[in-house]
Amino acid sequence: MCAKCPGIGIAGWANNLLESLVDAVLNLRLSLQSLGSDLLVEEGASKDILLKLAKEVGATDIITEEEVDQGRIELISSVYKSLSNLSVKGKPVEVTQYRLSLYETEGLGALTESYKDFQKLKTHVALPMAPPTFLPPFPEGVHRGNVPSLNELVTVSKRLQAESPWAESLGRHPASILLEGELRLAENSANSELWGLKGVFTWRANYLSASPFDESQKRRKKLSDKVHKEEEWVLRGGEIETLNALHSYLKFLEAAVTDDSVKLYRAVWMTESRPGTSFRELFGTSLALGMLSWRRVYQVALEYQRARSGGFLSLLSSTCFTIAAAIAEAQSNQWHRLLALKSREEAKNKGWHSRTWIWRGFFIQYTAHGEQGQAVVLVHGFGAFWEHFRQNIKELAKMQKRVWAISLLGFGKSEKPNVLYTELLWAELVRDFIMDVVQEPVSLAGNSIGGYIVALVAGLWPSLVRSLILLNPAGRVIPEYASCKYLKPTKNSGVAWIGSRFLLLYLQTQCRDTLKKCYPINSSRADDWLLREVLRASYDPGAIAVLESLFYLRAPLPLNFFLDRYDAKVLVIQGAKDPLQNSLQKANMLKAYCKNVSVALVNSGHCPHDEIPEEVNGIIYNWYMHLW
């Protein structure tokens, strides 16, 4: 355990997470000791520790799991380079990586990037490996070291966080907390009247009363009197405690209410904004720390599902929403892990760099190009992905820029977890990407909702943004917005569940026509590749959660609210033929009511950067030339 090594990522961790880390390491040490061995605990850079250890014990092989996160890949690479010239007993030291996945695949070469096609392969699911019954004794003469205490880790975490150039002025406060300082939060309305479907909930109560979610709602009422004053539930302890909590979670509808399970049940309801969202909230840390594996989650959940349906698996079986959530999250996470590995190989063959960053336990894909110059980060629009900047990334790199483009959570080949997607969540993602990956202030550029998100980042965390480029940005411009309020998402499961599925079906069947409408001047750019990639992502596991969130969201704050809080230069490139908004009116409103904004009106639709890339790249180049 290397508390100070690069990539450990404990900077700014909350105390309860650090305590879970201590529990996990202590549990690992006790497990190894019970098998006749022990755990080595060191503090320092991983490559230095491994080099020292290899010499001490005469090791010729270092075995590690294949990593997906780019930072960890670079760490392993640096370790390998450090050991490349080392020989032990006349033999070179080798670093071997193994792939541990829920799915047993023969190799990435034959793996499809389409989840629909992947399901047809009926790939075998791997069972958890049996634990060893014994281990070789711990090497003599090697100091075992002590597991850091919680106070020691808290000190290290705060020190690492303080090393950030903007730690004091910025921090990582939730975007909603910052907005509270600007506006008074409005009360959530008790009932949504979206689309005027006031009778939807009555219909649902009458005809869907036997659904797992409604069954659990009844149980929630029975528990409310016992748990409303309980403290926040945090999963702590070792492997046994974690597995016990998993069993209680999966048996949510059947298990008797005991003193041990009351806090867990309360935690489920605290995080259950819709069926299944509680799983990653409650077990994400245990999965990240290795206290629980996806194979174990899938196996145990499947056993419970079979038990509930008389030993059979079918679409008509009665499944508790917690069981369904565990299985769905395991399938989604492990598919996106394989997809990240596959994408890295595919992109390399096409001259791109596809990378993965693990953010809050989720796989986020991005690319990076350019070796010198100012940092630029590109953010796509709704339904798109980093590859949508296919004709801009390398051109910007030729302008002496270092360019990053990111696929937001829920889009492209990034993971699509069952979370509530909001503009604030995506803004926090972009903020953390700048801080953790780029690690310096950037010029931000975004298209459509990506334009609104980068404006939000610039308005809330201006020290991170050197300049701003908005390409047909989403969001209203309201001259007098003093009365505007930030409205929290609603919790309207019935409309969201029904509406999102109809919307997904509509978008999939009308995708080609929709894309063509967004490219009215150069429709050939809405080509088969773009259509294929948009459709591919729509069939990924978890994709429906993004559309469900649309039914929870309410009118966001106006675009100029955030632009007024940003003092640096802003360039707006507005397509005059945008079918999704009144472009001339939007351009005039931006010029009239937003400070430091330059507007370039171009002859294009909703995606000018991809429809007329040469012209847009030229506008950006000229603007940058006069900016710095």
Side-chain angles (χ1 to χ4, degrees), residues 192-226:
S192 171
E193 297 183 5
L194 188 63
W195 291 355
L197 299 178
K198 298 180 181 179
V200 167
F201 298 103
T202 302
W203 177 87
R204 182 172 182 272
N206 292 336
Y207 294 96
L208 300 181
S209 59
S211 71
F213 186 69
D214 285 318
E215 287 183 42
S216 57
Q217 288 284 57
K218 295 175 185 178
R219 190 168 198 81
R220 177 182 189 179
K221 189 176 186 304
K222 294 179 181 178
L223 291 171
S224 61
D225 293 337
K226 301 187 68 173

Side-chain angles (χ1 to χ4, degrees), residues 480-536:
E480 298 294 335
Y481 56 74
S483 61
C484 291
K485 299 177 180 180
Y486 169 66
L487 302 176
K488 290 183 178 180
T490 61
K491 294 184 179 180
N492 195 341
S493 299
V495 172
W497 194 95
I498 297 170
S500 60
R501 280 151 180 82
F502 276 113
L503 180 58
L504 178 61
L505 179 62
Y506 173 81
L507 293 175
Q508 288 174 338
T509 55
Q510 301 297 317
C511 186
R512 184 180 294 276
D513 291 340
T514 302
L515 286 175
K516 293 290 185 182
K517 290 177 181 177
C518 290
Y519 289 72
I521 302 303
N522 188 5
S523 61
S524 64
R525 292 292 294 171
D527 52 23
D528 290 340
W529 170 84
L530 183 60
L531 174 66
R532 185 171 59 252
E533 286 301 310
V534 171
L535 287 175
R536 189 217 63 77

Side-chain angles (χ1 to χ4, degrees), residues 99-108 110-111 118 121-129 295 298 334-335 338:
R99 181 173 300 156
L100 186 64
S101 174
L102 176 65
Y103 300 107
E104 291 186 345
T105 57
E106 295 182 358
L108 294 175
L111 182 67
F118 178 74
L121 298 176
K122 298 187 183 301
T123 307
H124 186 262
V125 174
L127 295 175
M129 297 177 64
R295 288 184 180 183
Y298 188 85
Q334 293 297 281
W335 160 251
L338 286 177

Side-chain angles (χ1 to χ4, degrees), residues 56 91 138 157 168 181 238 276-277 404 436 453 467 491 500 505:
E56 286 182 350
K91 296 182 179 180
F138 196 84
S157 175
E168 291 298 324
T277 54
W404 285 262
D436 296 342
I453 291 167
S467 65
K491 294 184 179 180
S500 60
L505 179 62

Side-chain angles (χ1 to χ4, degrees), residues 54-65:
K55 291 179 179 179
E56 286 182 350
V57 302
T60 57
D61 293 281
I62 295 177
I63 302 173
T64 181
E65 183 180 0

Side-chain angles (χ1 to χ4, degrees), residues 253-266:
L253 296 183
E254 292 85 7
V257 179
T258 64
D259 291 339
D260 293 334
S261 62
V262 165
K263 287 186 178 181
L264 171 61
Y265 290 168
R266 175 181 179 271

